Amino acid sequence: MLVEGDRISAVTGIPSGIDAHVMDVSGSVVFPGFIDAHAHDDLALLRPGGVESKVMQGVTVDVIGNCGHGCAPVATDPRLQASYSGPVLGRFPEAVSWQSFPEYLDRLSTTGLRTNAVALVPHGALRASITGYARRPLDARELARATRDLDQALERGAAGLSLGLMYAPGDVADRAELVALARVVAARGRVLAAHIRSEGDDVIDSLRELLDIARRSDVRVQLSHLKVVSPRNRGRMPEVLAVLDAARSEGIDITADVYPYAAGSTTAAALFPNWALADGVPGLLALLDTPSERARIVASMHRPWQRQENSFHALGAQGILLAGFRQPGNEAYEGARLSDVADERGVDAAECLCRLMTEEQGELTVVMFQMDEDDVTTALSWPWSLIGSDGLPVQSPYTHPRMYGTFARILSEYVRKRGLLTLEEAIRRMTALPAERFRIPGRGVVREGAAADLVVASPEQIEDHATFAAPRRFPEHVRAVLVNGAFATLDGVATESSAGAFLPVRRSSTA
């Protein structure tokens, strides 16, 4: 194979005597670069070393802006956005150089990136830029502005819109708002990615809401992190897939992304009732400082909620790990179970979480052991599932291992060891299928004229070493990664290359 500039110029029949860097790939396979179909690297792409864990796995394209979380457009009160998305995206800089989403895309376009980026417009941030965290549907004037701002971002090259219907402020959006926005996305031929309202008890009703939006707007849909959560819902994945298959048979264009772990991760604010987040995390912290409101919140956390999954109640404190501590004396809690911290402090676990949130000013993340492994493998087996890490690029010592291990784990655990997927099918889910889904031309394939996003690895040897006990460990036997023809890693060592770029999605790429 011959790479010239940022393109593959020949796959076979390479003339001799060419002055080039020569790499012997004997014993390895040259794959298309992996595409992370569900990333949260919106800010990490702009930080030195922020996406090293992705590059070392072979990721060459990051699809960012997922779950309604994002750093643009900037909220009416920037503190709301930083506290809302900060525990997901990592710490916000003291000052940002953009306000609108197109301005953020301009920043990506003028910055040398370690990977390429495809960007979704985050619904939560879009809403917060118009109404803050108002606990109501958008009125007619506000909706007109939201559709205009969304259309401008799509015109600039955004790949679609992402919903985070489990999180405030997106959770208060009504059907009319969501359909109106979805129609804008459909008109541009882009995709609607959706973290549905519930992945637990109400997962089927939540799917039906999403499918109704798709019917009424004719939008293509990407279901975020396909899963069912909480112990009482174990074994329901076949029921979920039956709904998805019926929708596809009906003509609804829906796919999903999956990460290969039985634990998820998100901001600790998601463990609190959405009514307590009416003014974002700053509002939650104000309530926690009021004894009567704090008692009300603690009491609510010990019972099921209506129209919102109560993960604290479903999993128990023993199923929740903590990360993101910055206050002196709390660093020892990195990666600890909430139950153990509560026992050490001698308080109720919900009360303990409230105290930790107050001490850390809301900037905590959690890892939750909420899925069943059989449901995970069933989701991975669905032929329309893509691979997405859903990794959180937080800067704390502890994080979910999916940030470092997702793609190596697919190849080592689910291809080589378990035989759940063939190598060819796994690679398709990580390359060609997401490239087609997000309409990224010239990516996800190895052919003449395609972008030189490449991974050299040994599928018989590749090993994922990231674990819940030691999550920040790179995989082995990923020999080299090229991003736009430049070595991002070579001989398993990261280079200083920043050849990645923002990849705008254009109307012409829908053909």
Side-chain angles (χ1 to χ4, degrees):
M1 180 183 301
L2 180 63
V3 172
E4 294 184 284
D6 63 354
R7 296 282 150 178
I8 300 170
S9 59
V11 177
T12 59
I14 300 170
S16 60
I18 292 178
D19 182 16
H21 175 105
V22 178
M23 182 177 184
D24 182 356
V25 297
S26 301
S28 299
V29 177
V30 180
F31 300 114
F34 303 150
I35 299 173
D36 189 344
H38 189 115
H40 290 287
D41 295 325
D42 309 49
L43 289 172
L45 283 161
L46 303 175
R47 291 195 296 261
V51 293
E52 218 65 358
S53 62
K54 296 292 185 67
V55 173
M56 293 293 285
Q57 294 179 66
V59 171
T60 60
V61 179
D62 252 350
V63 180
I64 59 175
N66 281 284
C67 296
H69 286 286
C71 56
V74 174
T76 53
D77 180 349
R79 294 176 306 158
L80 295 178
Q81 184 160 299
S83 59
Y84 164 61
S85 291
V88 173
L89 306 183
R91 205 160 301 143
F92 275 62
E94 290 186 7
V96 297
S97 59
W98 59 84
Q99 289 292 317
S100 69
F101 199 81
E103 288 171 345
Y104 168 67
L105 297 185
D106 287 341
R107 174 63 188 278
L108 289 178
S109 300
T110 56
T111 303
L113 309 176
R114 290 286 281 151
T115 70
N116 297 302
V118 170
L120 298 165
V121 181
H123 175 241
L126 178 66
R127 247 182 160 270
S129 71
I130 298 171
T131 65
Y133 277 60
R135 303 294 298 160
R136 57 171 175 76
L138 298 180
D139 62 29
R141 180 184 59 82
E142 293 163 341
L143 183 56
R145 178 180 165 188
T147 56
R148 182 201 69 203
D149 290 353
L150 172 60
D151 193 57
Q152 288 176 349
L154 298 174
E155 174 66 24
R156 177 63 179 77
L161 175 72
S162 83
L163 305 177
L165 298 180
M166 188 184 105
Y167 303 108
D171 66 303
V172 294
D174 61 13
R175 195 73 57 92
E177 174 185 331
L178 297 174
V179 170
L181 293 170
R183 285 173 175 161
V184 175
V185 176
R188 291 280 183 181
R190 310 297 165 81
V191 69
L192 178 70
H195 180 148
I196 56 178
R197 294 189 194 275
S198 172
E199 297 164 328
D201 295 353
D202 297 323
V203 62
I204 299 301
D205 285 344
S206 297
L207 278 175
R208 287 174 177 153
E209 176 190 36
L210 178 60
L211 296 173
D212 182 60
I213 293 167
R215 287 187 193 95
R216 293 166 63 179
S217 65
D218 199 29
V219 73
R220 298 182 303 120
V221 179
Q222 175 72 14
L223 176 62
S224 296
H225 36 60
L226 171 60
K227 61 180 182 281
V228 286
V229 303
S230 95
R232 63 178 169 269
N233 290 305
R234 287 176 178 168
R236 294 188 68 188
M237 184 53 69
E239 179 186 358
V240 169
L241 295 185
V243 172
L244 296 178
D245 284 333
R248 288 191 62 85
S249 296
E250 178 189 334
I252 295 175
D253 187 354
I254 185 167
T255 56
D257 53 73
V258 182
Y259 54 81
Y261 299 87
S265 184
T266 189
T267 169
L271 296 174
F272 291 85
N274 279 346
W275 57 260
L277 290 156
D279 293 317
V281 174
L284 171 64
L285 296 177
L287 292 177
L288 294 178
D289 280 338
T290 305
S292 60
E293 293 295 334
R294 185 189 192 115
R296 181 185 171 206
I297 290 170
V298 169
S300 76
M301 293 174 71
H302 286 289
R303 60 176 182 265
W305 297 331
Q306 295 295 320
R307 294 181 57 80
Q308 183 190 356
E309 194 70 28
N310 185 344
S311 296
F312 175 88
H313 180 264
L315 301 178
Q318 71 280 0
I320 300 170
L321 305 184
L322 302 165
F325 294 96
R326 291 194 292 165
Q327 296 304 310
N330 285 351
E331 297 96 332
Y333 299 147
E334 281 288 332
R337 293 186 183 273
L338 175 58
S339 55
D340 293 338
V341 179
D343 288 345
E344 179 181 319
R345 291 191 166 198
V347 296
D348 168 78
E351 172 65 24
C352 181
L353 183 61
C354 290
R355 293 184 186 183
L356 293 174
M357 285 289 282
T358 299
E359 292 165 13
E360 298 294 332
Q361 289 298 291
E363 295 187 23
L364 286 178
T365 59
V366 290
V367 173
M368 300 180 291
F369 291 88
Q370 56 189 168
M371 286 96 78
D372 178 68
E373 178 62 28
D374 287 345
D375 283 329
V376 174
T377 57
T378 301
L380 286 169
S381 299
W382 194 51
W384 298 103
S385 61
L386 291 59
I387 305 303
S389 72
D390 198 15
L392 308 187
V394 293
Q395 293 134 301
S396 56
Y398 190 82
T399 189
H400 193 300
R402 65 192 181 185
M403 190 68 188
Y404 282 71
T406 291
F407 293 86
R409 180 172 170 79
I410 288 289
L411 296 176
S412 63
E413 184 69 22
Y414 293 94
V415 173
R416 189 174 71 245
K417 296 176 184 178
R418 301 194 193 188
L420 179 74
L421 300 171
T422 65
L423 176 63
E424 294 79 7
E425 179 64 10
I427 295 300
R428 185 182 76 90
R429 308 280 194 89
M430 299 192 293
T431 59
L433 188 56
E436 176 187 348
R437 193 64 187 153
F438 293 99
R439 292 181 169 162
I440 320 169
R443 312 280 164 168
V445 293
V446 174
R447 67 179 180 220
E448 291 184 10
D453 287 355
L454 301 168
V455 178
V456 181
S458 170
E460 297 302 319
Q461 294 179 300
I462 191 169
E463 284 292 345
D464 160 37
H465 291 297
T467 67
F468 287 101
R472 293 189 181 273
R473 297 172 67 186
F474 296 126
E476 282 189 312
H477 302 294
V478 178
R479 291 185 54 195
V481 179
L482 283 78
V483 176
N484 292 324
F487 282 104
T489 79
L490 182 60
D491 297 326
V493 178
T495 72
E496 295 183 359
S497 172
S498 296
F502 167 61
L503 304 179
V505 177
R506 300 299 187 195
R507 186 182 296 273
S508 61
S509 66
T510 64

